[in-house]
Amino acid sequence: MMGRNGLSRAGGFRPENLGQNALALIGNVCFTFFVLMVLIFTIIAATYEPEDPLFHPSTKMSNFLTSQSNATFKPDSSVVKTGEDFMLPNQTAFNTFINISDVVIPTIVEEGIGNGNGADGEAEEKSERCDGPVDCRDPEVFHLLMKKAIEQFKDIHFYRFGKPVRGSNDTTCDMAWRFRPKEGKSASFYKDYRRFTIARSENCTFSVAGIGDYHTGVNARKRKNKHQKPGFEKKSTKEDSTLLPVVGETVNDDLPVVESERSFSQGKYLIYNGGGDRCKNMNHYLWSFLCALGEAQYLNRTLVMDLTICLNSIYTSSNQDEEGKDFRFYFDFEHLTEASSVLDQAQFWEDWGKWHKKDRLGLYLVEDHKVTPMKLAEVSDSVIMRKFGSVEPDNYWYRVCEGETESVIQRPWHLLWKSRRLMDIVSAISSKLNWDYDSVHIERGEKARNKNLWPNLDADTSPDALLSTLGNKIEEGRQVYIATNEPETSFFDPLKDKYSTHFLDEYKDLWDENSEWYSETTKLYRGVPVEFDGYMRGSVDTEVFLRGKKQIETFNDLTNDCKDGVNTCNAAAS
C-alpha cells in the first residue's frame, strides 16, 4: 500500500511523462536566461559611452589606421593624429634638395661683355648697379640670396627658391623658398619667405647684411600657381612632391559652389541630419564625420556638410560647450575640397529651395542607422538624407560604419589634414628655434596629484628628478622645448641651469591681435575675433614637440608609472 501510494503521488515521474517534464524544464531555463540577457543589454545600452578613436600613441595609432578594423574604439588621451601624419615619406622628393654647389653666382664682367653696349653702355650700367636701387631680379642677387640662405640655415634642406622681389626699400629684397628640416619625420614641405638686406661695397659687389625673421618677406608671399615657373629647383622634385602638404602657402577658404542649375540637378548628394554627436569631443566628431565622408565616397555622392562645430567644454576657456566654431579653424578645408566632393550645408539648402520643385528632385529619407550603405547603392533620388534620432548611442553617426559595413566603408583619413594656419604657427616656432632643438613632454596636473593611480609621477617629474633623468638623454646647453600641462612654467626654472628651455606661451605673438593668424581667422569669421582655444593650443604644442630632434615622453622615458594608472601598462601595450 505504502509503495503504491508513493508511486501514485509521484505519478508525474512516470516514464511516459519524463519527456514533457524535461521540455518544460528546458523552456523555463531558456526563458530565464533570455530575461537575464535582456536586462544586462538594457543596462549596458543605458550606460554606454563611446570611446576615443584618435588619441593614440604614434605606434598604436599607426597600427590602428592601417588595420582592417574600421569601427572599434580604443580609448587614449594622447596625441591627436590626422591623415598627413600617416603619409609615407616620399624619399625621391626629399632626396632631391638643393646643395650649395648647385648655386653658381654669375659675374658682372660676363654680363657686361655679352651685352654689346660698348664702353659707354658698361659705364652707365655700372653706375646704376652702384648707385641706384638694388635690382632684386638681377641673377647675381638671386644666386647670392640662395647661397646665403643655404649657408645660414644649416638644419633644413631647400627644395625650391622663388624669384626675389623688391622689399620695403631700395636695399631690401624678399625671397620665398620651400624646405623641410633635415631630420624631419613628417611627410610635409614648408614655405618661408624672408626679407634680405643687401649691402654694396665700393667696387659694386653685393653682400647680404642681414636676414629677417620667419615670414618677414611678405612681398614674396603669393598664391601658389600650378602654371608658374619657379625661380630655381631641381627638376625631379616637381612631380614627386605634388601630393604632399605644404605649410606656409596662402590658404584658400572659399566655399565650393555649384556652377549652374543643371549641375545641381544632375548631382547626387548625401546628408547626415541630427544625432547625438554635437558638442562631443573632437575625436568623437572626427570619427563620425569620416564615417559620413566614407559613405559618401562609397555611394559616389557629394557630402553636404555643416561647417559649424560645437566645441566641447574641455577645450574652452569658459568650461562650457561653445557653438558656432568653424571647421576651417581646425582642419584644412582647401585640401578636403580639392581631394573630395563636399558642399556647405547652407549653400546646398539655398540651391535646393530654388530648384528642387522645378526640377522634381527626389529626397530619400533613412531613419535607421542599421540600413547599410550597400542597401542604398541603388537609390536614384538626388538626395539621401540620414536622419538620426535623440536616443544615444544609436544616434551617433559612426554607428552607420559598424557591423557588416565595417569591411566595406573605409574612413578616408588621407582627406583630413590639420589646419595649415595652425601648422604655420608650428613652423614659425620651430624656425625661431632654428629647427635645432630637443623636446620633452611632461604630464603633471591631476595625474601628479593622484598618488593612488600614479604613485611616482609627481616625484619623477620634479625639477631635480628631471635634471637627473634628462642629463642622460639630452646634451647640456641644448635648446629644449617643453610641452606640458603644468600651469606654472616657472616650476621648471631649475632646468635653465643646463638647458635653454622654451614653452608655448613664449610665442603668443604668433596668435595675438597683431598676428597673421588673428587677422585671417577674424576675416574668416566675418569680423569676429577668434579665440586661440584649448584644442588649438594642444594641437600646436604637440606638433612642435614632434618636430624635436630628440623626443622624450613622460611615460616610459621619465617615469615607470603606467599612462592609464596602476597595472595598466600591459593593457596599453596590447
Side-chain angles (χ1 to χ4, degrees):
M1 290 292 293
M2 291 295 293
R4 286 197 300 270
N5 289 340
L7 288 173
S8 177
R9 285 194 299 271
F13 291 98
R14 287 180 296 180
E16 59 270 23
N17 293 332
L18 287 177
Q20 296 177 0
N21 291 336
L23 289 174
L25 179 62
I26 293 172
N28 290 335
V29 171
C30 290
F31 180 75
T32 302
F33 180 76
F34 172 76
V35 172
L36 182 62
M37 293 304 296
V38 169
L39 179 62
I40 293 173
F41 178 80
T42 302
I43 293 173
I44 292 174
T47 59
Y48 172 79
E49 293 184 3
E51 300 169 349
D52 295 345
L54 291 180
F55 287 163
H56 289 261
S58 57
T59 53
K60 184 185 294 185
M61 192 63 188
S62 298
N63 294 335
F64 169 69
L65 288 183
T66 54
S67 70
Q68 295 301 312
S69 176
N70 202 33
T72 303
F73 278 137
K74 294 182 180 180
D76 200 307
S77 58
S78 55
V79 178
V80 179
K81 297 288 185 180
T82 49
E84 73 272 36
D85 296 316
F86 303 98
M87 295 177 65
L88 295 176
N90 187 328
Q91 294 304 327
T92 303
F94 294 162
N95 288 336
T96 52
F97 55 86
I98 300 170
N99 293 295
I100 197 166
S101 58
D102 297 319
V103 180
V104 180
I105 300 180
T107 63
I108 302 175
V109 177
E110 289 173 346
E111 296 175 10
I113 294 175
N115 60 20
N117 292 329
D120 294 338
E122 290 182 32
E124 182 179 349
E125 181 181 355
K126 183 175 181 180
S127 176
E128 290 181 1
R129 291 177 60 87
C130 293
D131 302 324
V134 173
D135 183 5
C136 299
R137 297 169 299 177
D138 187 331
E140 180 189 1
V141 174
F142 183 21
H143 286 73
L144 174 67
L145 300 189
M146 286 192 289
K147 182 177 180 181
K148 186 64 176 179
I150 295 173
E151 290 175 342
Q152 178 79 14
F153 305 111
K154 300 182 184 300
D155 285 278
I156 64 176
H157 282 151
F158 294 85
Y159 294 86
R160 178 185 301 175
F161 286 100
K163 293 181 179 178
V165 296
R166 188 178 188 274
S168 58
N169 55 46
D170 291 345
T171 60
T172 59
C173 296
D174 292 356
M175 185 175 70
W177 57 79
R178 178 176 292 187
F179 73 96
R180 71 186 302 268
K182 288 183 178 179
E183 299 184 20
K185 302 175 181 64
S186 65
S188 302
F189 286 112
Y190 301 84
K191 181 179 180 180
D192 194 2
Y193 36 92
R194 303 206 183 203
R195 180 152 294 167
F196 292 73
T197 301
I198 312 299
R200 278 181 291 208
S201 64
E202 293 181 357
N203 62 354
C204 292
T205 58
F206 295 118
S207 63
V208 175
I211 303 177
D213 291 334
Y214 183 79
H215 281 194
T216 50
V218 292
N219 293 342
R221 183 190 188 190
K222 53 191 173 185
R223 177 70 188 152
K224 59 184 178 181
N225 187 342
K226 296 180 180 179
H227 303 291
Q228 181 178 358
K229 294 183 179 180
F232 187 88
E233 68 175 324
K234 287 196 173 181
K235 300 300 182 184
S236 58
T237 64
K238 188 171 183 179
E239 294 183 1
D240 296 329
S241 61
T242 302
L243 301 179
L244 297 175
V246 180
V247 176
E249 292 280 11
T250 305
V251 179
N252 179 12
D253 290 310
D254 293 343
L255 299 177
V257 294
V258 180
E259 296 178 354
S260 64
E261 176 183 350
R262 181 182 179 186
S263 297
F264 183 84
S265 299
Q266 290 178 344
K268 301 292 183 181
Y269 308 95
L270 174 67
I271 304 175
Y272 277 38
N273 180 260
D277 304 276
R278 199 76 179 170
C279 299
K280 294 294 189 294
N281 55 37
M282 192 67 82
N283 52 330
H284 179 126
Y285 167 79
L286 295 181
W287 193 243
S288 287
F289 172 74
L290 288 171
C291 173
L293 188 58
E295 181 180 24
Q297 290 196 314
Y298 172 80
L299 296 174
N300 197 25
R301 289 176 174 264
T302 296
L303 179 67
V304 179
M305 62 178 290
D306 184 0
L307 282 176
T308 65
I309 290 178
C310 176
L311 192 65
N312 187 272
S313 60
I314 63 175
Y315 310 117
T316 65
S317 57
S318 65
N319 295 319
Q320 301 290 324
D321 296 341
E322 295 182 3
E323 283 280 5
K325 302 295 183 178
D326 197 299
F327 179 92
R328 294 167 289 183
F329 295 164
Y330 309 100
F331 306 105
D332 189 343
F333 186 66
E334 181 180 2
H335 170 67
L336 181 63
T337 56
E338 288 178 348
S340 66
S341 181
V342 296
L343 274 180
D344 173 47
Q345 179 175 280
Q347 180 65 49
F348 172 82
W349 287 122
E350 181 180 336
D351 293 341
W352 176 263
K354 290 187 294 186
W355 297 319
H356 84 278
K357 289 184 179 179
K358 177 183 175 182
D359 296 335
R360 297 181 180 179
L361 306 180
L363 186 150
Y364 188 87
L365 185 63
V366 181
E367 296 186 287
D368 187 350
H369 72 82
K370 295 179 182 177
V371 177
T372 66
M374 296 77 83
K375 294 179 181 178
L376 300 177
E378 301 302 321
V379 173
S380 59
D381 295 82
S382 297
V383 179
I384 295 177
M385 175 186 282
R386 282 193 178 273
K387 189 173 182 180
F388 295 83
S390 58
V391 179
E392 299 185 21
D394 285 343
N395 65 347
Y396 294 156
W397 292 5
Y398 66 74
R399 299 301 300 274
V400 172
C401 295
E402 294 181 340
E404 61 179 303
T405 306
E406 178 182 348
S407 61
V408 178
I409 301 298
Q410 299 298 315
R411 284 178 172 83
W413 298 98
H414 61 286
L415 299 179
L416 187 73
W417 292 356
K418 297 178 184 68
S419 161
R420 277 189 282 140
R421 289 194 178 92
L422 292 180
M423 294 305 297
D424 202 23
I425 293 177
V426 173
S427 180
I429 295 174
S430 301
S431 293
K432 288 176 181 289
L433 296 171
N434 294 318
W435 296 90
D436 183 22
Y437 64 95
D438 300 317
S439 53
V440 183
H441 172 240
I442 304 176
E443 186 166 354
R444 289 182 53 80
E446 291 295 331
K447 289 186 177 181
R449 291 188 287 271
N450 189 335
K451 301 297 178 62
N452 292 326
L453 292 179
W454 297 275
N456 305 300
L457 179 61
D458 185 31
D460 289 341
T461 56
S462 67
D464 290 341
L466 289 171
L467 281 170
S468 176
T469 305
L470 295 179
N472 299 322
K473 299 177 182 294
I474 298 177
E475 295 178 9
E476 186 172 351
R478 289 282 295 162
Q479 293 192 106
V480 176
Y481 182 85
I482 299 178
T484 182
N485 61 348
E486 175 62 45
E488 296 296 332
T489 56
S490 60
F491 177 80
F492 302 104
D493 280 353
L495 274 65
K496 293 180 179 179
D497 293 339
K498 291 186 64 175
Y499 307 106
S500 175
T501 58
H502 303 274
F503 301 88
L504 179 63
D505 280 340
E506 291 179 29
Y507 307 98
K508 287 182 177 179
D509 61 301
L510 296 173
W511 62 83
D512 68 14
E513 60 185 11
N514 298 316
S515 68
E516 183 179 294
W517 177 88
Y518 184 92
S519 174
E520 292 186 357
T521 54
T522 299
K523 181 180 178 181
L524 176 63
Y525 210 31
R526 298 176 296 279
V528 179
V530 176
E531 177 191 8
F532 194 72
D533 58 52
Y535 184 83
M536 298 172 183
R537 290 181 61 90
S539 182
V540 170
D541 209 22
T542 296
E543 293 300 321
V544 176
F545 166 81
L546 290 174
R547 279 150 184 77
K549 289 185 174 180
K550 289 183 180 178
Q551 299 164 18
I552 310 299
E553 285 279 9
T554 300
F555 301 98
N556 297 324
D557 292 329
L558 300 179
T559 182
N560 290 325
D561 283 354
C562 301
K563 182 175 183 179
D564 297 318
V566 174
N567 297 327
T568 61
C569 292
N570 292 335
S574 62

